[in-house]
Amino acid sequence: MNPATALATVLVDELARCGLTDVVLAPGSRSTPLALAVHADSRIRLHVRVDERSASFLALGLARRSERPVALICTSGTAAANFHPAVIEAHESGVPLLVLTADRPPELRDTGSSQTIDQIKLYGAAVRWFSEVGVPEDRPGQVAYWRSLACRAFQRSLGPYDPGPVHLNVPFREPLIPDGDTSWCEPMEGDAAGPWVRARVASPPVALHLQPTRRGVLVVGDGATNVRRYVAAAGMAGWPVLSEPNGGARYGDHAMSAYHFLLGTPEFADRHRPEVVVTLGRPSLSRPLLNWLKHADEHVVVARDMTRWPDPTRSATQVAQEVEIPIPAGDDDWLHSWRRADTAARGAIDEVMDGAGLNEPRLARDLVDTLPNGSLLFSGSSMPIRDLDQAMRPRRGLRILANRGAAGIDGVVSTAMGAALSHNGPAYALMGDLTFLHDQNGLILGPREPRPDLCLVVVNNDGGGIFSLLPQAALRDPFERIFGTAHGVDLGYVAASTGTPYTFVNEPGQLSKALRGEGLRIVEVRTDRESNADLHAMMRDAAHGAIRALV
Protein backbone atom coordinates (compact mmCIF):
# COMPACT_ATOMS: atom_id res chain seq x y z
CA MET A 1 0.00 0.00 0.00
CA ASN A 2 1.41 3.39 -0.88
CA PRO A 3 1.88 5.88 2.01
CA ALA A 4 -0.80 8.34 0.81
CA THR A 5 -3.46 5.64 0.73
CA ALA A 6 -2.33 4.26 4.09
CA LEU A 7 -2.53 7.62 5.85
CA ALA A 8 -5.94 8.48 4.41
CA THR A 9 -7.38 5.04 5.20
CA VAL A 10 -6.21 5.07 8.81
CA LEU A 11 -7.14 8.72 9.43
CA VAL A 12 -10.70 8.33 8.12
CA ASP A 13 -11.19 5.02 9.94
CA GLU A 14 -10.11 6.51 13.26
CA LEU A 15 -12.29 9.60 12.88
CA ALA A 16 -15.27 7.32 12.20
CA ARG A 17 -14.39 5.33 15.34
CA CYS A 18 -14.42 8.61 17.28
CA GLY A 19 -17.97 9.29 16.07
CA LEU A 20 -17.59 11.22 12.81
CA THR A 21 -20.71 10.70 10.66
CA ASP A 22 -20.60 13.46 8.03
CA VAL A 23 -17.88 14.64 5.65
CA VAL A 24 -18.11 17.48 3.12
CA LEU A 25 -15.76 17.24 0.15
CA ALA A 26 -14.76 19.89 -2.37
CA PRO A 27 -13.19 17.84 -5.20
CA GLY A 28 -9.55 18.19 -6.23
CA SER A 29 -6.54 16.11 -7.17
CA ARG A 30 -4.19 16.35 -4.18
CA SER A 31 -7.01 15.34 -1.78
CA THR A 32 -7.66 12.13 -3.77
CA PRO A 33 -6.51 9.72 -1.01
CA LEU A 34 -8.88 11.30 1.55
CA ALA A 35 -11.76 11.45 -0.94
CA LEU A 36 -11.41 7.76 -1.83
CA ALA A 37 -11.17 6.73 1.83
CA VAL A 38 -14.32 8.64 2.76
CA HIS A 39 -16.22 7.35 -0.28
CA ALA A 40 -15.38 3.76 0.69
CA ASP A 41 -16.46 4.09 4.35
CA SER A 42 -20.12 3.11 4.86
CA ARG A 43 -20.21 4.70 8.33
CA ILE A 44 -19.86 8.18 6.83
CA ARG A 45 -22.42 10.24 4.93
CA LEU A 46 -20.57 12.06 2.16
CA HIS A 47 -21.59 15.46 0.76
CA VAL A 48 -19.84 16.79 -2.37
CA ARG A 49 -19.89 20.46 -3.42
CA VAL A 50 -18.07 22.00 -6.37
CA ASP A 51 -17.56 25.37 -4.64
CA GLU A 52 -15.21 25.32 -1.64
CA ARG A 53 -16.90 28.24 0.11
CA SER A 54 -20.31 26.60 -0.27
CA ALA A 55 -18.84 23.30 0.95
CA SER A 56 -17.39 24.91 4.06
CA PHE A 57 -20.65 26.58 5.07
CA LEU A 58 -22.56 23.37 4.40
CA ALA A 59 -20.24 21.66 6.89
CA LEU A 60 -20.80 24.53 9.30
CA GLY A 61 -24.56 24.05 9.12
CA LEU A 62 -24.30 20.29 9.59
CA ALA A 63 -22.09 20.74 12.66
CA ARG A 64 -24.10 23.62 14.12
CA ARG A 65 -27.37 21.70 14.11
CA SER A 66 -25.94 18.30 15.12
CA GLU A 67 -23.50 19.80 17.66
CA ARG A 68 -21.01 17.15 16.53
CA PRO A 69 -17.77 17.54 14.54
CA VAL A 70 -18.08 17.46 10.76
CA ALA A 71 -15.03 16.99 8.54
CA LEU A 72 -14.30 19.29 5.63
CA ILE A 73 -11.84 18.24 2.91
CA CYS A 74 -10.25 20.12 0.01
CA THR A 75 -7.25 20.03 -2.27
CA SER A 76 -4.22 22.30 -1.96
CA GLY A 77 -3.89 25.97 -2.89
CA THR A 78 -6.61 28.61 -2.85
CA ALA A 79 -9.20 25.89 -2.28
CA ALA A 80 -8.14 25.93 1.37
CA ALA A 81 -8.30 29.74 1.47
CA ASN A 82 -11.97 29.61 0.44
CA PHE A 83 -12.71 27.78 3.70
CA HIS A 84 -11.52 30.74 5.78
CA PRO A 85 -14.84 32.63 6.23
CA ALA A 86 -16.61 29.50 7.50
CA VAL A 87 -13.67 28.69 9.77
CA ILE A 88 -13.92 32.18 11.27
CA GLU A 89 -17.66 31.77 11.85
CA ALA A 90 -17.07 28.36 13.46
CA HIS A 91 -14.39 29.90 15.69
CA GLU A 92 -16.55 32.81 16.81
CA SER A 93 -19.71 30.74 17.37
CA GLY A 94 -18.08 27.62 18.82
CA VAL A 95 -19.01 25.13 16.08
CA PRO A 96 -16.92 21.93 15.87
CA LEU A 97 -15.29 21.57 12.44
CA LEU A 98 -12.46 19.27 11.35
CA VAL A 99 -10.71 20.99 8.45
CA LEU A 100 -8.50 18.62 6.46
CA THR A 101 -6.55 20.48 3.79
CA ALA A 102 -4.50 18.37 1.40
CA ASP A 103 -1.13 19.88 0.57
CA ARG A 104 1.91 19.44 -1.65
CA PRO A 105 4.94 17.85 0.02
CA PRO A 106 7.73 20.15 1.33
CA GLU A 107 9.95 19.70 -1.71
CA LEU A 108 7.31 21.36 -3.93
CA ARG A 109 6.75 24.38 -1.71
CA ASP A 110 8.31 27.76 -2.55
CA THR A 111 9.23 26.47 -6.00
CA GLY A 112 6.40 27.89 -8.11
CA SER A 113 4.73 24.47 -8.22
CA SER A 114 1.09 24.59 -9.32
CA GLN A 115 -1.60 24.95 -6.64
CA THR A 116 0.97 25.34 -3.90
CA ILE A 117 0.68 28.06 -1.26
CA ASP A 118 1.78 28.35 2.36
CA GLN A 119 -0.90 26.40 4.24
CA ILE A 120 0.92 26.20 7.58
CA LYS A 121 -1.37 27.80 10.18
CA LEU A 122 -3.38 29.19 7.27
CA TYR A 123 -6.30 30.15 9.52
CA GLY A 124 -4.19 31.75 12.22
CA ALA A 125 -5.86 32.08 15.60
CA ALA A 126 -9.28 31.13 14.18
CA VAL A 127 -8.76 27.46 15.02
CA ARG A 128 -8.62 25.73 18.38
CA TRP A 129 -5.63 23.64 17.25
CA PHE A 130 -3.43 23.19 14.18
CA SER A 131 -1.19 20.29 13.17
CA GLU A 132 1.02 19.74 10.15
CA VAL A 133 0.51 16.00 9.80
CA GLY A 134 3.71 15.38 7.88
CA VAL A 135 4.29 13.42 4.70
CA PRO A 136 3.36 9.76 5.33
CA GLU A 137 6.17 7.23 5.29
CA ASP A 138 6.29 3.43 5.07
CA ARG A 139 7.87 2.80 8.47
CA PRO A 140 6.75 1.48 11.89
CA GLY A 141 5.08 3.91 14.29
CA GLN A 142 3.05 5.78 11.70
CA VAL A 143 -0.28 4.05 12.48
CA ALA A 144 -0.13 4.92 16.19
CA TYR A 145 0.76 8.52 15.30
CA TRP A 146 -2.09 8.88 12.80
CA ARG A 147 -4.71 7.30 15.04
CA SER A 148 -3.75 9.27 18.15
CA LEU A 149 -3.64 12.45 16.06
CA ALA A 150 -7.17 11.80 14.73
CA CYS A 151 -8.48 11.26 18.28
CA ARG A 152 -6.85 14.45 19.52
CA ALA A 153 -8.26 16.47 16.60
CA PHE A 154 -11.78 15.10 17.05
CA GLN A 155 -11.83 15.67 20.80
CA ARG A 156 -10.29 19.14 20.56
CA SER A 157 -12.92 20.15 18.05
CA LEU A 158 -15.72 18.77 20.23
CA GLY A 159 -14.61 20.70 23.29
CA PRO A 160 -16.48 20.01 25.48
CA TYR A 161 -16.40 23.52 26.95
CA ASP A 162 -14.93 25.36 23.95
CA PRO A 163 -15.87 23.52 20.71
CA GLY A 164 -14.57 24.96 17.48
CA PRO A 165 -12.56 24.33 14.32
CA VAL A 166 -9.40 22.24 14.17
CA HIS A 167 -7.06 22.30 11.17
CA LEU A 168 -5.01 19.33 9.98
CA ASN A 169 -2.76 20.07 7.01
CA VAL A 170 -2.10 16.79 5.20
CA PRO A 171 0.69 16.72 2.59
CA PHE A 172 0.73 13.83 0.11
CA ARG A 173 3.37 12.61 -2.32
CA GLU A 174 2.32 10.76 -5.43
CA PRO A 175 0.98 8.19 -6.15
CA LEU A 176 -2.38 9.49 -4.92
CA ILE A 177 -4.51 6.49 -5.91
CA PRO A 178 -4.28 2.89 -4.61
CA ASP A 179 -1.59 0.81 -6.28
CA GLY A 180 -3.22 -2.58 -5.75
CA ASP A 181 -0.83 -3.60 -2.96
CA THR A 182 -2.55 -3.96 0.45
CA SER A 183 0.55 -4.76 2.52
CA TRP A 184 2.04 -2.34 5.08
CA CYS A 185 5.04 -2.51 7.36
CA GLU A 186 2.91 -2.80 10.54
CA PRO A 187 -0.68 -3.71 11.45
CA MET A 188 -3.10 -0.97 10.36
CA GLU A 189 -6.09 -2.07 12.42
CA GLY A 190 -7.42 0.15 15.16
CA ASP A 191 -8.76 -0.73 18.59
CA ALA A 192 -11.60 -3.24 18.14
CA ALA A 193 -13.48 -1.67 21.07
CA GLY A 194 -13.59 1.88 19.72
CA PRO A 195 -11.25 4.86 19.26
CA TRP A 196 -7.50 4.60 19.78
CA VAL A 197 -7.66 7.14 22.64
CA ARG A 198 -10.71 7.47 24.89
CA ALA A 199 -11.07 11.00 26.22
CA ARG A 200 -12.71 11.51 29.60
CA VAL A 201 -14.58 14.76 30.25
CA ALA A 202 -13.81 16.50 33.53
CA SER A 203 -16.35 16.64 36.33
CA PRO A 204 -18.98 19.44 36.26
CA PRO A 205 -17.74 22.86 37.37
CA VAL A 206 -18.67 24.41 40.70
CA ALA A 207 -21.71 26.66 40.32
CA LEU A 208 -21.89 30.30 41.39
CA HIS A 209 -24.76 30.82 43.88
CA LEU A 210 -26.52 34.18 43.57
CA GLN A 211 -28.24 36.10 46.34
CA PRO A 212 -32.07 35.82 46.20
CA THR A 213 -33.73 38.77 44.45
CA ARG A 214 -36.96 39.44 42.60
CA ARG A 215 -35.36 42.23 40.55
CA GLY A 216 -33.37 39.93 38.30
CA VAL A 217 -33.39 39.40 34.53
CA LEU A 218 -32.25 36.50 32.35
CA VAL A 219 -30.78 37.55 28.98
CA VAL A 220 -30.24 34.88 26.33
CA GLY A 221 -28.21 35.39 23.15
CA ASP A 222 -26.63 33.33 20.41
CA GLY A 223 -24.79 30.16 21.44
CA ALA A 224 -26.51 29.77 24.80
CA THR A 225 -26.40 26.31 26.42
CA ASN A 226 -28.54 24.65 29.11
CA VAL A 227 -31.25 27.12 28.16
CA ARG A 228 -34.27 25.22 29.47
CA ARG A 229 -32.74 24.80 32.93
CA TYR A 230 -32.04 28.52 33.24
CA VAL A 231 -35.45 29.53 31.89
CA ALA A 232 -37.11 27.25 34.45
CA ALA A 233 -34.99 28.76 37.23
CA ALA A 234 -35.81 32.31 36.09
CA GLY A 235 -39.50 31.38 36.08
CA MET A 236 -39.30 30.14 39.68
CA ALA A 237 -37.49 33.34 40.67
CA GLY A 238 -40.04 35.61 38.99
CA TRP A 239 -37.54 37.04 36.49
CA PRO A 240 -38.42 38.22 32.97
CA VAL A 241 -36.56 36.47 30.14
CA LEU A 242 -35.13 38.60 27.31
CA SER A 243 -34.18 36.17 24.56
CA GLU A 244 -32.97 36.75 21.04
CA PRO A 245 -34.77 34.47 18.57
CA ASN A 246 -31.71 32.26 18.12
CA GLY A 247 -31.15 32.12 21.89
CA GLY A 248 -33.84 29.47 22.17
CA ALA A 249 -35.59 30.94 25.21
CA ARG A 250 -38.45 32.95 23.72
CA TYR A 251 -41.27 30.81 25.06
CA GLY A 252 -43.53 30.76 28.10
CA ASP A 253 -45.11 33.46 30.25
CA HIS A 254 -41.80 35.05 31.26
CA ALA A 255 -40.57 35.75 27.70
CA MET A 256 -40.62 39.47 26.85
CA SER A 257 -40.86 39.55 23.06
CA ALA A 258 -40.91 43.37 22.84
CA TYR A 259 -37.86 43.93 25.05
CA HIS A 260 -36.11 45.89 22.29
CA PHE A 261 -38.82 48.55 22.48
CA LEU A 262 -39.15 48.41 26.28
CA LEU A 263 -35.47 49.13 26.81
CA GLY A 264 -35.49 51.73 24.03
CA THR A 265 -38.01 53.74 26.06
CA PRO A 266 -35.96 55.71 28.65
CA GLU A 267 -38.88 56.06 31.08
CA PHE A 268 -39.26 52.29 31.28
CA ALA A 269 -35.55 51.41 31.18
CA ASP A 270 -34.72 53.84 33.99
CA ARG A 271 -37.44 52.44 36.26
CA HIS A 272 -36.51 48.83 35.58
CA ARG A 273 -32.86 48.71 36.49
CA PRO A 274 -32.18 45.18 37.77
CA GLU A 275 -30.18 44.15 40.79
CA VAL A 276 -28.69 41.28 38.79
CA VAL A 277 -28.62 40.18 35.15
CA VAL A 278 -27.59 36.67 34.14
CA THR A 279 -26.52 36.40 30.51
CA LEU A 280 -26.33 33.17 28.51
CA GLY A 281 -24.62 33.20 25.13
CA ARG A 282 -23.79 36.41 23.34
CA PRO A 283 -26.53 39.02 22.84
CA SER A 284 -25.79 41.27 19.86
CA LEU A 285 -29.01 42.29 18.09
CA SER A 286 -30.55 45.06 20.20
CA ARG A 287 -28.62 48.25 20.87
CA PRO A 288 -31.07 49.31 23.63
CA LEU A 289 -30.46 46.00 25.42
CA LEU A 290 -26.68 46.35 25.21
CA ASN A 291 -26.84 49.92 26.52
CA TRP A 292 -29.13 48.84 29.37
CA LEU A 293 -26.77 46.05 30.43
CA LYS A 294 -24.15 48.65 31.28
CA HIS A 295 -26.31 49.91 34.15
CA ALA A 296 -26.97 46.59 35.92
CA ASP A 297 -25.65 46.49 39.50
CA GLU A 298 -24.47 42.91 38.94
CA HIS A 299 -23.96 41.32 35.52
CA VAL A 300 -23.11 37.61 35.60
CA VAL A 301 -21.98 36.02 32.33
CA VAL A 302 -22.36 32.26 32.02
CA ALA A 303 -19.65 30.85 29.71
CA ARG A 304 -18.49 27.31 28.96
CA ASP A 305 -15.03 28.54 28.00
CA MET A 306 -13.48 30.59 30.79
CA THR A 307 -10.86 31.97 28.42
CA ARG A 308 -13.30 33.40 25.85
CA TRP A 309 -16.38 34.72 27.62
CA PRO A 310 -18.73 37.10 25.75
CA ASP A 311 -18.87 40.61 27.21
CA PRO A 312 -19.28 43.13 24.36
CA THR A 313 -20.42 45.88 26.74
CA ARG A 314 -17.51 45.35 29.18
CA SER A 315 -20.13 45.29 31.95
CA ALA A 316 -19.62 41.77 33.35
CA THR A 317 -18.93 41.72 37.08
CA GLN A 318 -18.63 37.92 37.37
CA VAL A 319 -18.08 35.04 34.94
CA ALA A 320 -18.98 31.45 35.78
CA GLN A 321 -19.50 28.17 33.98
CA GLU A 322 -22.69 27.56 35.94
CA VAL A 323 -24.99 29.76 38.02
CA GLU A 324 -27.63 28.81 40.58
CA ILE A 325 -30.63 31.18 40.62
CA PRO A 326 -32.39 30.90 44.02
CA ILE A 327 -36.12 31.36 44.60
CA PRO A 328 -36.62 34.67 46.46
CA ALA A 329 -39.41 35.69 48.81
CA GLY A 330 -41.77 38.56 48.01
CA ASP A 331 -44.43 39.52 45.49
CA ASP A 332 -44.39 39.50 41.66
CA ASP A 333 -44.70 43.25 41.09
CA TRP A 334 -41.40 43.29 39.18
CA LEU A 335 -42.50 40.62 36.72
CA HIS A 336 -46.03 42.01 36.39
CA SER A 337 -44.65 45.43 35.46
CA TRP A 338 -42.57 43.91 32.67
CA ARG A 339 -45.53 41.87 31.43
CA ARG A 340 -47.90 44.82 31.28
CA ALA A 341 -45.45 46.90 29.29
CA ASP A 342 -44.56 44.00 26.99
CA THR A 343 -48.24 43.32 26.24
CA ALA A 344 -48.86 46.98 25.46
CA ALA A 345 -45.84 47.26 23.19
CA ARG A 346 -46.62 43.99 21.42
CA GLY A 347 -50.19 45.11 20.71
CA ALA A 348 -48.99 48.45 19.34
CA ILE A 349 -46.43 47.05 16.92
CA ASP A 350 -48.75 44.25 15.78
CA GLU A 351 -51.35 46.88 14.89
CA VAL A 352 -48.81 48.82 12.84
CA MET A 353 -47.61 45.71 10.99
CA ASP A 354 -51.13 44.45 10.29
CA GLY A 355 -52.12 47.79 8.81
CA ALA A 356 -49.22 48.00 6.35
CA GLY A 357 -49.91 45.10 4.01
CA LEU A 358 -47.08 42.69 3.26
CA ASN A 359 -43.96 43.99 5.00
CA GLU A 360 -40.71 42.56 6.29
CA PRO A 361 -41.39 42.52 10.07
CA ARG A 362 -44.84 41.07 9.47
CA LEU A 363 -43.39 38.40 7.22
CA ALA A 364 -40.95 37.39 9.99
CA ARG A 365 -43.74 37.31 12.60
CA ASP A 366 -46.20 35.40 10.43
CA LEU A 367 -43.56 32.94 9.28
CA VAL A 368 -42.79 31.97 12.88
CA ASP A 369 -46.51 31.70 13.69
CA THR A 370 -47.13 29.50 10.62
CA LEU A 371 -44.35 26.92 10.89
CA PRO A 372 -45.29 23.51 12.32
CA ASN A 373 -43.89 22.24 15.60
CA GLY A 374 -40.57 20.48 15.18
CA SER A 375 -39.42 22.88 12.47
CA LEU A 376 -36.00 24.44 12.04
CA LEU A 377 -35.74 28.08 10.95
CA PHE A 378 -32.36 29.36 9.79
CA SER A 379 -32.13 33.15 9.64
CA GLY A 380 -29.92 35.50 7.68
CA SER A 381 -27.67 37.67 9.83
CA SER A 382 -28.68 41.12 8.59
CA MET A 383 -32.30 42.36 8.67
CA PRO A 384 -34.15 39.00 8.95
CA ILE A 385 -32.76 38.14 12.39
CA ARG A 386 -33.51 41.67 13.59
CA ASP A 387 -37.05 41.50 12.23
CA LEU A 388 -37.50 38.22 14.07
CA ASP A 389 -36.12 39.81 17.23
CA GLN A 390 -38.54 42.72 17.10
CA ALA A 391 -41.63 41.03 15.64
CA MET A 392 -41.57 37.39 16.76
CA ARG A 393 -44.09 36.40 19.40
CA PRO A 394 -43.19 33.75 22.02
CA ARG A 395 -43.73 30.15 20.93
CA ARG A 396 -42.50 26.63 21.54
CA GLY A 397 -41.61 23.85 19.15
CA LEU A 398 -39.34 25.85 16.82
CA ARG A 399 -35.52 25.81 16.61
CA ILE A 400 -33.99 29.04 15.28
CA LEU A 401 -30.36 29.23 14.18
CA ALA A 402 -28.23 31.95 12.59
CA ASN A 403 -24.58 32.62 11.77
CA ARG A 404 -24.10 35.24 14.47
CA GLY A 405 -20.51 34.42 15.43
CA ALA A 406 -19.01 36.82 12.91
CA ALA A 407 -22.51 37.89 11.76
CA GLY A 408 -21.61 37.87 8.07
CA ILE A 409 -24.07 37.40 5.22
CA ASP A 410 -21.87 34.90 3.38
CA GLY A 411 -22.68 31.20 3.11
CA VAL A 412 -26.22 31.38 4.48
CA VAL A 413 -27.85 29.23 1.76
CA SER A 414 -25.24 26.51 2.26
CA THR A 415 -25.31 26.73 6.07
CA ALA A 416 -29.10 26.42 6.03
CA MET A 417 -28.80 23.36 3.81
CA GLY A 418 -26.33 21.76 6.19
CA ALA A 419 -28.52 22.49 9.19
CA ALA A 420 -31.56 21.08 7.35
CA LEU A 421 -29.66 17.87 6.54
CA SER A 422 -28.88 17.46 10.27
CA HIS A 423 -32.43 18.29 11.39
CA ASN A 424 -35.08 15.65 11.94
CA GLY A 425 -38.06 17.55 10.55
CA PRO A 426 -39.00 20.30 8.09
CA ALA A 427 -36.58 23.19 7.68
CA TYR A 428 -36.99 26.77 6.53
CA ALA A 429 -34.69 29.74 6.03
CA LEU A 430 -35.37 33.48 6.01
CA MET A 431 -32.86 35.72 4.26
CA GLY A 432 -32.48 38.89 2.22
CA ASP A 433 -31.81 39.09 -1.50
CA LEU A 434 -28.13 40.07 -1.17
CA THR A 435 -27.54 37.21 1.25
CA PHE A 436 -29.23 34.83 -1.17
CA LEU A 437 -27.27 36.06 -4.20
CA HIS A 438 -24.01 35.96 -2.24
CA ASP A 439 -24.37 32.19 -1.85
CA GLN A 440 -26.45 31.16 -4.87
CA ASN A 441 -23.86 28.46 -5.61
CA GLY A 442 -25.31 26.70 -2.59
CA LEU A 443 -28.24 25.73 -4.82
CA ILE A 444 -25.98 23.53 -6.96
CA LEU A 445 -26.59 19.92 -5.94
CA GLY A 446 -25.39 16.88 -7.83
CA PRO A 447 -27.97 14.17 -8.60
CA ARG A 448 -26.43 11.76 -6.06
CA GLU A 449 -26.18 14.23 -3.16
CA PRO A 450 -28.40 14.08 -0.04
CA ARG A 451 -31.14 16.66 -0.55
CA PRO A 452 -32.58 18.70 2.32
CA ASP A 453 -36.24 19.37 3.02
CA LEU A 454 -35.70 23.13 3.03
CA CYS A 455 -37.82 26.12 1.99
CA LEU A 456 -35.78 29.29 1.37
CA VAL A 457 -37.87 32.41 2.01
CA VAL A 458 -36.10 35.32 0.30
CA VAL A 459 -37.07 38.91 1.08
CA ASN A 460 -36.19 40.86 -2.05
CA ASN A 461 -35.98 44.63 -1.57
CA ASP A 462 -33.47 44.95 -4.42
CA GLY A 463 -30.43 45.78 -2.33
CA GLY A 464 -29.06 46.24 1.18
CA GLY A 465 -32.15 47.04 3.22
CA ILE A 466 -30.40 47.34 6.57
CA PHE A 467 -28.53 50.46 5.42
CA SER A 468 -31.84 52.30 5.04
CA LEU A 469 -32.16 52.05 8.85
CA LEU A 470 -28.65 53.36 9.53
CA PRO A 471 -27.22 56.91 9.50
CA GLN A 472 -25.82 56.26 6.01
CA ALA A 473 -29.36 56.66 4.65
CA ALA A 474 -29.07 60.43 5.20
CA LEU A 475 -26.33 60.61 2.55
CA ARG A 476 -28.83 60.87 -0.28
CA ASP A 477 -26.45 61.41 -3.19
CA PRO A 478 -24.03 58.46 -2.79
CA PHE A 479 -26.40 56.22 -0.79
CA GLU A 480 -28.06 54.22 -3.54
CA ARG A 481 -24.87 53.27 -5.34
CA ILE A 482 -22.53 52.44 -2.48
CA PHE A 483 -25.01 51.27 0.20
CA GLY A 484 -28.36 50.52 -1.42
CA THR A 485 -26.65 48.51 -4.20
CA ALA A 486 -29.70 47.67 -6.29
CA HIS A 487 -28.99 44.63 -8.44
CA GLY A 488 -32.13 44.11 -10.54
CA VAL A 489 -31.72 40.32 -10.57
CA ASP A 490 -34.82 38.24 -11.28
CA LEU A 491 -34.68 35.56 -8.58
CA GLY A 492 -37.05 33.37 -10.56
CA TYR A 493 -34.35 32.94 -13.19
CA VAL A 494 -31.77 32.13 -10.50
CA ALA A 495 -34.08 29.38 -9.25
CA ALA A 496 -34.68 28.12 -12.78
CA SER A 497 -30.95 27.89 -13.49
CA THR A 498 -30.65 25.09 -10.91
CA GLY A 499 -34.11 23.61 -11.39
CA THR A 500 -35.23 24.74 -7.93
CA PRO A 501 -39.03 25.08 -7.48
CA TYR A 502 -39.99 28.74 -7.07
CA THR A 503 -43.06 30.61 -5.76
CA PHE A 504 -43.72 34.36 -5.70
CA VAL A 505 -45.72 35.91 -2.83
CA ASN A 506 -47.16 39.44 -2.87
CA GLU A 507 -50.00 39.19 -0.32
CA PRO A 508 -49.86 38.21 3.39
CA GLY A 509 -52.53 35.54 2.94
CA GLN A 510 -50.43 33.70 0.34
CA LEU A 511 -47.57 32.81 2.69
CA SER A 512 -49.01 29.70 4.32
CA LYS A 513 -49.81 28.02 1.00
CA ALA A 514 -46.46 29.01 -0.52
CA LEU A 515 -44.55 27.33 2.30
CA ARG A 516 -46.11 23.94 1.64
CA GLY A 517 -44.15 21.26 -0.13
CA GLU A 518 -41.11 19.08 0.30
CA GLY A 519 -37.50 19.20 -0.77
CA LEU A 520 -35.48 22.26 -1.71
CA ARG A 521 -37.65 25.20 -2.86
CA ILE A 522 -37.67 29.00 -2.94
CA VAL A 523 -40.35 31.51 -1.94
CA GLU A 524 -39.70 35.12 -2.95
CA VAL A 525 -41.36 38.08 -1.20
CA ARG A 526 -40.74 41.53 -2.70
CA THR A 527 -40.69 44.62 -0.51
CA ASP A 528 -39.55 48.26 -0.71
CA ARG A 529 -36.56 49.54 1.24
CA GLU A 530 -37.80 53.06 1.91
CA SER A 531 -41.25 51.87 2.96
CA ASN A 532 -39.61 49.36 5.27
CA ALA A 533 -37.57 52.10 6.95
CA ASP A 534 -40.72 54.17 7.47
CA LEU A 535 -42.52 51.16 8.92
CA HIS A 536 -39.80 50.51 11.48
CA ALA A 537 -40.02 54.12 12.61
CA MET A 538 -43.79 53.77 12.98
CA MET A 539 -43.38 50.57 15.01
CA ARG A 540 -40.89 52.26 17.32
CA ASP A 541 -43.09 55.32 17.85
CA ALA A 542 -46.20 53.22 18.48
CA ALA A 543 -44.44 50.96 20.96
CA HIS A 544 -42.85 53.83 22.87
CA GLY A 545 -46.19 55.62 23.06
CA ALA A 546 -47.95 52.54 24.45
CA ILE A 547 -45.20 51.99 27.03
CA ARG A 548 -45.14 55.62 28.15
CA ALA A 549 -48.89 55.48 28.71
CA LEU A 550 -48.24 52.89 31.43
CA VAL A 551 -45.26 54.46 33.18
Side-chain angles (χ1 to χ4, degrees), residues 367 371-372 375-378 426-430 453-455 457 515 521:
L367 178 62
L371 298 185
S375 294
L376 168 73
L377 175 60
F378 199 94
Y428 305 82
L430 178 65
D453 180 9
L454 173 65
C455 179
V457 181
L515 294 174
R521 57 207 189 275

Side-chain angles (χ1 to χ4, degrees), residues 126-141:
V127 294
R128 298 293 186 269
W129 182 55
F130 166 80
S131 179
E132 164 79 343
V133 176
V135 179
E137 299 176 357
D138 186 2
R139 60 179 177 82

Side-chain angles (χ1 to χ4, degrees), residues 19-62:
L20 184 73
T21 59
D22 285 88
V23 173
V24 179
L25 169 70
S29 176
R30 191 59 53 164
S31 55
T32 294
L34 291 169
L36 291 175
V38 170
H39 184 267
D41 197 316
S42 61
R43 295 166 294 179
I44 291 175
R45 183 172 62 159
L46 175 62
H47 312 263
V48 181
R49 293 296 186 273
V50 298
D51 177 357
E52 284 86 6
R53 188 175 68 179
S54 177
S56 63
F57 279 101
L58 178 79
L60 180 78
L62 285 161

Side-chain angles (χ1 to χ4, degrees), residues 30 103-113 116-117 120 132-137 169-173:
R30 191 59 53 164
D103 200 356
R104 259 57 177 177
E107 63 267 20
L108 294 183
R109 299 173 187 173
D110 297 320
T111 65
S113 179
T116 306
I117 66 172
I120 305 300
E132 164 79 343
V133 176
V135 179
E137 299 176 357
N169 194 56
V170 192
F172 292 112
R173 289 192 179 102

Side-chain angles (χ1 to χ4, degrees), residues 123-175:
Y123 308 116
V127 294
R128 298 293 186 269
W129 182 55
F130 166 80
S131 179
E132 164 79 343
V133 176
V135 179
E137 299 176 357
D138 186 2
R139 60 179 177 82
Q142 291 277 274
V143 171
Y145 164 53
W146 296 334
R147 289 193 180 275
S148 63
L149 181 74
C151 291
R152 184 186 294 271
F154 187 91
Q155 187 59 40
R156 188 63 193 89
S157 177
L158 187 59
Y161 297 120
D162 61 338
V166 163
H167 179 202
L168 299 182
N169 194 56
V170 192
F172 292 112
R173 289 192 179 102
E174 296 181 348

Side-chain angles (χ1 to χ4, degrees), residues 109-283:
R109 299 173 187 173
D110 297 320
T111 65
S113 179
S114 179
Q115 289 189 313
T116 306
I117 66 172
D118 184 359
Q119 296 178 201
I120 305 300
K121 297 190 175 181
L122 178 63
Y123 308 116
V127 294
R128 298 293 186 269
W129 182 55
F130 166 80
S131 179
E132 164 79 343
V133 176
V135 179
E137 299 176 357
D138 186 2
R139 60 179 177 82
Q142 291 277 274
V143 171
Y145 164 53
W146 296 334
R147 289 193 180 275
S148 63
L149 181 74
C151 291
R152 184 186 294 271
F154 187 91
Q155 187 59 40
R156 188 63 193 89
S157 177
L158 187 59
Y161 297 120
D162 61 338
V166 163
H167 179 202
L168 299 182
N169 194 56
V170 192
F172 292 112
R173 289 192 179 102
E174 296 181 348
L176 302 174
I177 62 174
D179 53 12
D181 182 5
T182 59
S183 62
W184 189 248
C185 65
E186 62 180 340
M188 296 182 65
E189 293 76 17
D191 189 331
W196 191 263
V197 179
R198 294 171 181 82
R200 298 288 184 242
V201 178
S203 58
V206 177
L208 170 66
H209 291 264
L210 300 179
Q211 293 296 318
T213 177
R214 285 286 179 186
R215 295 182 66 89
V217 172
L218 178 65
V219 173
V220 186
D222 184 66
T225 58
N226 297 323
V227 171
R228 291 189 178 277
R229 180 169 72 85
Y230 283 101
V231 170
M236 296 292 289
W239 292 9
V241 177
L242 317 184
S243 176
E244 296 182 344
N246 46 320
R250 193 174 291 196
Y251 63 87
D253 295 338
H254 291 238
M256 304 294 132
S257 63
Y259 72 88
H260 173 82
F261 300 100
L262 301 183
L263 301 181
T265 307
E267 295 87 342
F268 180 90
D270 291 342
R271 295 187 183 185
H272 291 79
R273 300 215 181 277
E275 293 178 356
V276 61
V277 174
V278 173
T279 295
L280 311 179
R282 183 179 67 176

